Structures are given as structure tokens and as C-alpha cells.
Amino acid sequence: MSMGVTYKYFGAPNGATAARVPISMRPEELGGDELGMGGMFTRIKPETIAAMVLTGLQGMPLHKVPPLELVVLHPDYAVVKLPTTVVDPLRGVGEESVGAAAFIWSTVPDRGGPRDAFNVYQLLHEWQDFSVRLHEAGHQPYCLVWP
């Protein structure tokens, strides 16, 4: 029985460091930062996070959302890098913008991921905190993907 794919979002200074965050190791051991919230993000694809931010905040059409960059592909897991455009826009915005982005995302047709505007709002809020921490640490956003 398959439980589906699990995602772990974390910050790292570069791809070489990110590539050393295999399943057994915690990003904080490398001086990185992990996106927590009790597993809130563990089932949400990085593509969905990217689309949520860029569609909701930047008004970007779904088909224009940039692709993820593969950092490492291992038989047991993969590490991908998210575009900085997925964290940067959130740093300077206030509550209203986060709320509006959540509402917009909840109305986008044919999208994947959470539908409920309040859930999306919570996710974007956590992602915003994460993006501020990444910026302060000079880190990039990465995601560890494993089955």
C-alpha cells in the first residue's frame, strides 16, 4: 500500500549543501532551516506552492509558473530547488495581500492542492515566515521529495 509522496521544504546556502540533506538527516544539522507547522506541507507539491504564490500574489497565469530545478536525483529521493520568485514576493506584503492571494488561489480552476481559502491562507502565512528566515540566512528554498 502506497502512502504517496512526502515533501520536506528547507533552506540551504547552495545546491551542494542541499544535496547533502538525505532522508536521515535534518536540514538544521547543516545550518539550514526547515519549514515546519506539524507536517502541514508534507503532502503539498513544490509546483503547487510555486503556483499558489505566483498566481495569487503576482497574478501570473498557471501555465507561466517557472519549472523547478532538479538538484539531485537518487533512486530513493530527489532534491529540487524552487525559484526564488516563490519566496521573494511574500517578504514585503501585508496581511491583506496574503488573504487576497489565498482567496485568488481558492478560485483558480484546474489547480492542484488545497482548495479551502483559510487553509491556503495559513499555508501562505507559514511560507511567508519561511521566506523571511531564508532571506535573513541568505538561503535558497529547496524541497526533498521521497516516496
Side-chain angles (χ1 to χ4, degrees), residues 20-89:
R20 298 203 313 270
V21 180
I23 297 140
S24 60
M25 194 185 221
R26 317 226 8 115
E28 57 270 22
E29 287 175 19
L30 299 173
D33 181 6
E34 189 180 334
L35 185 64
M37 263 311 270
M40 198 184 209
F41 286 89
T42 55
R43 296 277 169 230
I44 302 179
K45 289 183 187 155
E47 294 86 345
T48 302
I49 297 280
M52 214 184 277
V53 172
L54 296 171
T55 305
L57 271 174
Q58 304 290 83
M60 189 180 283
L62 219 41
H63 68 274
K64 289 257 203 270
V65 173
L68 305 170
E69 189 185 311
L70 187 64
V71 176
V72 66
L73 182 60
H74 184 273
D76 300 323
Y77 60 89
V79 175
V80 295
K81 179 178 188 283
L82 285 83
T84 49
T85 47
V86 175
V87 286
D88 290 349

Side-chain angles (χ1 to χ4, degrees), residues 61-141:
L62 219 41
H63 68 274
K64 289 257 203 270
V65 173
L68 305 170
E69 189 185 311
L70 187 64
V71 176
V72 66
L73 182 60
H74 184 273
D76 300 323
Y77 60 89
V79 175
V80 295
K81 179 178 188 283
L82 285 83
T84 49
T85 47
V86 175
V87 286
D88 290 349
L90 270 163
R91 286 207 317 276
V93 303
E95 285 299 300
E96 301 80 16
S97 301
V98 177
F103 176 75
I104 290 164
W105 178 252
S106 74
T107 66
V108 171
D110 306 322
R111 71 200 180 291
R115 301 238 177 282
D116 177 72
F118 184 69
N119 281 356
V120 177
Y121 172 78
Q122 288 182 296
L123 286 166
L124 284 172
H125 223 282
E126 281 304 306
W127 193 253
Q128 183 175 40
D129 292 344
F130 181 56
S131 67
V132 168
R133 295 195 307 268
L134 287 181
H135 182 68
E136 287 170 354
H139 286 177
Q140 305 287 319

